[in-house]
Amino acid sequence: GRRSLCKSCETMTQRSNIFIPSFLLAICLGFCISLHASCGQSPTQQQQSPDEKGYVLQKTRQGTNGLTSELWVYKNDTSRYVIKKYRNKHLINVSHYEKGVPNGYLMMANDQGIVLLEGNMKNGRREGTFKSYDDNGKLLSTMTYKNDSLINKQ
C-alpha cells in the first residue's frame, strides 16, 4: 500500500520555502515508517552515542538496501529521543524529537554521508540557521528561519 508522511514531516514539507528533492522526501518517509513501526527488538547493548551526550541506544533495525536505523533515548526518558539512519555504514540522517515532535538538530546526507541539509527544529518548526549543500559538500545556501518563516536567505 501507499505510505504517507507523519504529521510532523508533512507539515515541514508543506511549509518549506525551498525545493526538497524527492530523494530527501524518501529519506523523511523512511524515517517516519521506521520511527512509527515497532521492530520488536530489545536493546542489545547500552551504548552511549559519542555525539549525543546522555543518549542511550535503545533499538537498532536493519532494513533493506543497506539501511540501518537507530533509536537513541535520553536517560531512559522515552519522550526525548534521536533517530539516526545509516546507509552502508554512512550516517545519512539525524533527527531529534521531544514527545514525537521534531525538536533540535536535523541533518540529511546523501548515501556517501555528505551532508545535504542541516539545521534546528523547535516544536516542529524550523528555527535559526539552515544550510543546504550540494553532493560534494559545497555550501549552496544559508537560510534563517523564525518560527518556520524564512527571514533571510544567502
Side-chain angles (χ1 to χ4, degrees):
R2 186 172 171 256
R3 303 257 186 188
S4 61
L5 298 174
C6 73
K7 193 67 176 166
S8 299
C9 295
E10 183 180 334
T11 301
M12 186 172 73
T13 58
Q14 286 175 347
R15 291 185 182 147
S16 177
N17 291 320
I18 61 171
F19 172 72
I20 299 178
S22 59
F23 71 91
L24 288 180
L25 287 176
I27 290 170
C28 184
L29 178 57
F31 244 174
C32 294
I33 292 167
S34 66
L35 173 64
H36 300 294
S38 173
C39 66
Q41 295 178 344
S42 60
T44 56
Q45 52 185 306
Q46 290 295 308
Q47 188 176 12
Q48 184 164 334
S49 174
D51 58 338
E52 308 293 342
K53 191 171 178 124
Y55 286 83
V56 176
L57 181 62
Q58 292 293 307
K59 288 184 183 180
T60 300
R61 181 180 179 145
Q62 299 296 322
T64 58
N65 300 321
L67 188 65
T68 302
S69 302
E70 295 178 344
L71 172 65
W72 295 82
V73 176
Y74 184 74
K75 297 183 180 180
N76 294 321
D77 176 1
T78 57
S79 70
R80 292 177 61 189
Y81 55 94
V82 175
I83 302 288
K84 293 184 178 186
K85 288 204 173 251
Y86 301 84
R87 179 155 331 266
N88 300 321
K89 300 185 181 179
H90 294 288
L91 183 64
I92 61 169
N93 199 297
V94 175
S95 294
H96 288 243
Y97 293 87
E98 285 188 33
K99 297 179 182 173
V101 176
N103 210 20
Y105 182 68
L106 167 74
M107 184 278 293
M108 294 180 182
N110 64 20
D111 285 349
Q112 290 72 44
I114 297 172
V115 175
L116 300 175
L117 179 70
E118 65 180 338
N120 284 291
M121 303 293 289
K122 184 175 180 181
N123 299 320
R125 297 173 178 268
R126 291 168 289 190
E127 188 70 30
T129 302
F130 269 72
K131 294 181 180 181
S132 64
Y133 305 87
D134 69 14
D135 275 330
N136 297 313
K138 180 183 174 195
L139 182 65
L140 294 175
S141 64
T142 301
M143 299 149 288
T144 305
Y145 289 89
K146 179 77 174 167
N147 198 25
D148 214 34
S149 294
L150 182 64
I151 57 174
N152 188 23
K153 182 176 180 179
Q154 297 176 343

